[in-house]
Amino acid sequence: MKKSLVSLAALAVAGVASAQSSVTLFGVVDATVEGYSNKSENIYGQSVKGTKNTLTSSGYNSSRLGFRGTEDLGGGLAASFWLEAGIGNEAGTTGGNVSNTGGVTGLFNRRSTVSLSGAFGEVRLGRDYVPTFWNDTVFDPFGSNGVGASLILTANGFGPGSPTGFTANNMYVRASNSVGYFLPPNLGGFYGQVMYAFNGATKYDNSALTPDIANTQRAGRYIGGRGGYANGPLDVAAAYGEATIADNFFAGTTSVLKSWNIGASYDFGVVKLFGEYSQAKNRTDYSNPLAITNVFAFTDPGAKGWLIGATVPVGPGLIRASYSGVKYSDLPVTTAQLAQINQVFGLKDPKADKFALGYVHNLSKRTALYATVAYVNNKDNSLYSAVGSPGVGLATAGSFYAASGTTANNALAQAAIGATHPTSSLGYDLGIRHAF
């Protein structure tokens, strides 16, 4: 009897194992010595530099730990799961770079999905990349990591410091509570994705009893799509998305960030070329004009970004290079700022450009050494004098760009010599990446 029970149990386990096609533990551990030097100056020509050198993670690929699995259901149907957590291996923490995960601090803050796939494509539910982010990372030689990542990412809220206020968009990279659909991979090179993310908010009737709490009625909703064609050396794609990033019921405001981009790459063998153009506009709708207290409140800030880049294989290594830029329009300013800017600098649209050069040396398929250097040049950015206290550090809110993707350190400059504007930044990464 006991032998029969053991045999049945063994058969049951074998049946489960055969149905579960694959369960994989995977991850990346990436450590880098990173440093940058930021320069700011005031209208009198006085300047100050802030420098920082540190050990951090994710200079080449994002450090992560994940589990994924697929069960073959028969008839071409399969069920899958994917649970992926960011890690900060420089300090042994979970969560990774929280600013780059939309502020999500949970364990599986990168991807957390379950899906059903077949000849019809794939339906995926959970937390996942939004369609509009794909082009920003796929068509950048540096992806979305390290000092070389393009200004397009920074402008759209990837990390701290976007002067447009796009940093309020915690759905730039990923969206939670989402339902996504992917086209099947057998369409002759054509691919596509659509996504809708619920904001998970309780809806109230329009009344005086509606809770007066900002960002609780409509914020968190996302809708977008991406389509492209990849065949041989060519890959080209376009994407569009709308993210509701803020709302205030009693003030009668709703802020929707509308963005679109188009990118392409072509692999000639000896060199692979990349290019991208993007636009974003943060539009705020006012249903209650009486609540508007600032004439500049109607301003809808926007950003246009572009990138050209290349990778060149050299033996076991890869040379990476890119030039990216961003230009802002319709940034909100106070009356005092407007008067100061017109008097001293002239009212201009701020802009910046960035040059990045790097080399990756592959010791094996899983382990690589890398080095990157980047230089940022800020122009017409007098809007971004720091407003923080001295010692806030290199992520001071209200300033402009540093090579690392953080904001430039002009808090110390403001405290020492008065109002300043960041002018340039030089940064580097020296690191090792191991994947498993």
Side-chain angles (χ1 to χ4, degrees):
M1 182 63 179
K2 291 182 178 180
K3 291 183 178 180
S4 298
L5 290 175
V6 171
S7 300
L8 288 173
L11 288 173
V13 171
V16 171
S18 63
Q20 189 74 26
S21 302
S22 65
V23 176
T24 304
L25 168 68
F26 67 96
V28 172
V29 181
D30 184 313
T32 179
V33 175
E34 183 180 86
Y36 35 93
S37 175
N38 303 317
K39 181 181 178 181
S40 298
E41 66 181 29
N42 66 5
I43 60 175
Y44 307 107
Q46 297 171 301
S47 63
V48 66
K49 285 186 178 180
T51 61
K52 184 176 182 179
N53 296 279
T54 187
L55 178 69
T56 186
S57 61
S58 307
Y60 178 37
N61 294 138
S62 297
S63 292
R64 72 197 75 170
L65 178 66
F67 307 86
R68 60 176 180 254
T70 300
E71 180 185 13
D72 187 353
L73 301 175
L77 200 63
S80 304
F81 77 93
W82 190 303
L83 299 173
E84 185 175 315
I87 58 176
N89 46 274
E90 76 279 10
T93 59
T94 59
N97 189 333
V98 175
S99 64
N100 293 345
T101 56
V104 175
T105 57
L107 177 58
F108 296 110
N109 60 342
R110 288 179 55 83
R111 177 176 167 183
S112 177
T113 62
V114 62
S115 61
L116 190 66
S117 60
F120 58 87
E122 180 184 4
V123 177
R124 190 181 297 176
L125 291 81
R127 176 170 174 79
D128 200 6
Y129 277 138
V130 299
T132 39
F133 176 73
W134 279 109
N135 289 347
D136 291 345
T137 186
V138 169
F139 299 117
D140 182 347
F142 294 90
S144 54
N145 293 93
V147 300
S150 77
L151 287 180
I152 294 175
L153 281 84
T154 314
N156 283 275
F158 193 69
S162 174
T164 58
F166 290 176
T167 46
N169 179 23
N170 59 12
M171 295 167 286
Y172 169 60
V173 179
R174 300 174 181 86
S176 301
N177 310 317
S178 72
V179 177
Y181 169 73
F182 295 79
L183 291 174
N186 56 351
L187 300 179
F190 290 96
Y191 59 88
Q193 170 192 6
V194 292
M195 173 188 279
Y196 180 85
F198 298 89
N199 67 351
T202 300
K203 304 299 182 182
Y204 292 90
D205 294 333
N206 298 338
S207 72
L209 297 180
T210 298
D212 187 11
I213 304 174
N215 302 325
T216 60
Q217 308 298 312
R218 295 171 290 277
R221 174 181 174 272
Y222 176 90
I223 184 171
R226 177 175 183 255
Y229 177 77
N231 191 5
L234 175 66
D235 189 2
V236 58
Y240 176 82
E242 296 184 5
T244 305
I245 62 177
D247 70 75
N248 191 311
F249 178 82
F250 281 98
T253 60
T254 302
S255 295
V256 178
L257 180 57
K258 300 180 179 181
S259 58
W260 67 271
N261 53 44
I262 183 170
S265 64
Y266 196 93
D267 193 348
F268 291 93
V270 294
V271 61
K272 184 176 182 179
L273 300 181
F274 300 81
E276 186 193 2
Y277 179 80
S278 74
Q279 285 195 20
K281 194 76 169 178
N282 186 5
R283 179 178 177 82
T284 300
D285 295 323
Y286 295 84
S287 60
N288 182 10
L290 297 178
I292 300 173
T293 58
N294 188 334
V295 67
F296 300 106
F298 282 105
T299 301
D300 293 328
K304 298 178 181 179
W306 56 92
L307 173 144
I308 55 173
T311 58
V312 180
V314 181
L318 186 71
I319 297 174
R320 304 187 293 172
S322 71
Y323 166 73
S324 62
V326 62
K327 184 176 182 179
Y328 294 95
S329 60
D330 301 326
L331 295 185
V333 296
T334 65
T335 305
Q337 285 177 318
L338 186 63
Q340 179 186 11
I341 293 163
N342 278 328
Q343 179 182 1
V344 180
F345 299 103
L347 187 60
K348 300 179 181 179
D349 289 331
K351 54 189 176 182
D353 49 31
K354 181 175 186 176
F355 301 88
L357 180 65
Y359 175 71
V360 179
H361 186 78
N362 295 301
L363 300 175
S364 69
K365 291 183 178 181
R366 298 187 298 163
T367 303
L369 302 176
Y370 61 90
T372 306
V373 63
Y375 176 78
V376 175
N377 182 31
N378 293 304
K379 307 172 185 177
D380 301 326
N381 55 341
S382 54
L383 284 172
Y384 309 110
S385 296
V387 295
S389 302
V392 169
L394 291 169
T396 303
S399 50
F400 215 40
Y401 294 137
S404 65
T406 65
T407 51
N409 181 14
N410 59 345
L412 298 177
Q414 182 179 1
I417 56 177
T420 64
H421 58 287
T423 56
S424 62
S425 180
L426 181 66
Y428 72 88
D429 278 325
L430 295 172
I432 179 172
R433 187 278 333 261
H434 178 75
F436 60 90

